[in-house]
């Protein structure tokens, strides 16, 4: 095969995939108003084969966002409401005795899907929270000693309420570190809220996305082509060193008891590459690292109690570090 033709074909596939993923924003906007950063974060996570923690007060369309993304990507999605009495087998599946064959057969749980919405994950005990660890890290579920592969793509979008902690089980640092991104879903602006109410007054039904006009604009093939293109995105030694310097600075910050681990540094490099490709470049620049630093790192650091009492936040610490770490030229 002619190498020139092959390269042109690869470039064409990459451009087509990018255009398809960019169309997601317009498609999801038919159902969700004003959450472009969250949409972009979910797409970045899919490109990096990562998982997302969505944090926001009730009623800001976290569930609708994930459902709309699944519809626009033509992916299967399932939702699990995490409660104090939820068991690990309710998530992963279990062996069920079949009286006809006198044998046990595996009944898959809701984790066997492309997009799993783990709603209010911090309301279930650690035993059930940890049932997702193998699925998130190894992309498989082991029941009775037998590993079972999960479908690809596979993404866990877990939600938690940032203001109501009574009766909750905060995620441990080890599990938080498994999430590629932590996205905050803010309350809408005044105009966005007016648009939401106008849509509802005109008959919008959030449970019927087809009626809202949400149609598939991309699919698994586009994701595969996009992932292949992201893997070829160039990272210079200076950018690699910049990522390392940012993460090492968190470990030396007087406001933090826990800084970013090497896994976090790897995550920041991966998300920066995905963002660079989405914006139309095949190389990473410092602005890509800065753009993804907050969502990639904010859940991987832990504040000192005295700093928290003074109103310091993880975002303010990371922003200060970004302002002081020398930027490569």
């Amino acid at each position: 095969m002619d190498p020139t033709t092959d390269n042109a074909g690869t470039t064409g596939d990459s451009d087509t995939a990018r255009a398809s993923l960019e169309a997601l924003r317009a498609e999801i906007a038919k159902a969700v108003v004003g959450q472009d950063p969250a949409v972009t974060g979910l797409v970045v996570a899919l490109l990096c084969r990562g998982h997302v923690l969505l944090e926001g007060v009730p009623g800001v369309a976290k569930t609708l966002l994930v459902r709309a993304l699944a519809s626009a990507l033509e992916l299967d999605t399932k939702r699990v409401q995490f409660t104090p009495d939820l068991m690990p087998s309710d998530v992963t599946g279990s062996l069920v005795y079949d009286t006809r064959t006198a044998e046990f057969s595996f009944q898959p749980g809701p984790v066997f899907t492309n997009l799993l919405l783990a709603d209010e994950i911090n309301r279930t005990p650690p035993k059930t929270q940890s049932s997702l660890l193998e699925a998130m890290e190894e992309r498989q579920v082991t029941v009775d000693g037998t590993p079972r592969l999960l479908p690809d793509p596979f993404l866990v979008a877990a939600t938690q309420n940032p203001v109501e902690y009574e009766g909750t089980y905060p995620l441990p640092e080890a599990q938080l570190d498994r999430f590629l991104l932590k996205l905050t879903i803010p309350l809408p602006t005044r105009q966005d809220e007016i648009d939401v109410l106008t849509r509802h007054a005109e008959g919008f039904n959030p449970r019927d996305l087809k009626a809202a006009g949400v149609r598939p604009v991309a699919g698994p093939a586009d994701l595969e082509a996009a992932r292949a293109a992201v893997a070829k995105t160039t990272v210079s030694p200076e950018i690699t060193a910049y990522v390392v310097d940012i993460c090492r600075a968190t470990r030396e910050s007087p406001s933090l008891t826990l800084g970013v681990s090497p896994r976090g540094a790897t995550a920041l490099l991966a998300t920066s590459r995905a963002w660079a490709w989405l914006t139309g470049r095949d190389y990473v620049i410092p602005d890509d690292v800065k753009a993804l630093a907050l969502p990639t790192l904010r859940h991987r650091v832990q504040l000192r109690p005295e700093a928290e009492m003074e109103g310091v936040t993880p975002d303010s610490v990371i922003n200060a570090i970004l302002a002081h770490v020398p930027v490569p030229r």
Side-chain angles (χ1 to χ4, degrees), residues 87-118:
M87 299 297 292
S89 59
D90 296 329
V91 178
T92 61
S94 59
L95 295 177
V96 178
Y97 183 73
D98 190 337
T99 55
R100 293 173 299 177
T101 61
E103 294 180 348
F104 285 95
S105 60
F106 178 67
Q107 184 67 35
V111 74
F112 286 86
T113 187
N114 298 123
L115 294 181
L116 176 68
L117 178 62

Side-chain angles (χ1 to χ4, degrees), residues 283-301:
Y283 57 92
V284 180
I285 62 176
D287 283 348
D288 299 324
V289 179
K290 290 181 178 180
L292 272 297
L294 285 180
T296 307
L297 304 181
R298 59 164 58 110
H299 56 297
R300 304 175 192 272
V301 300

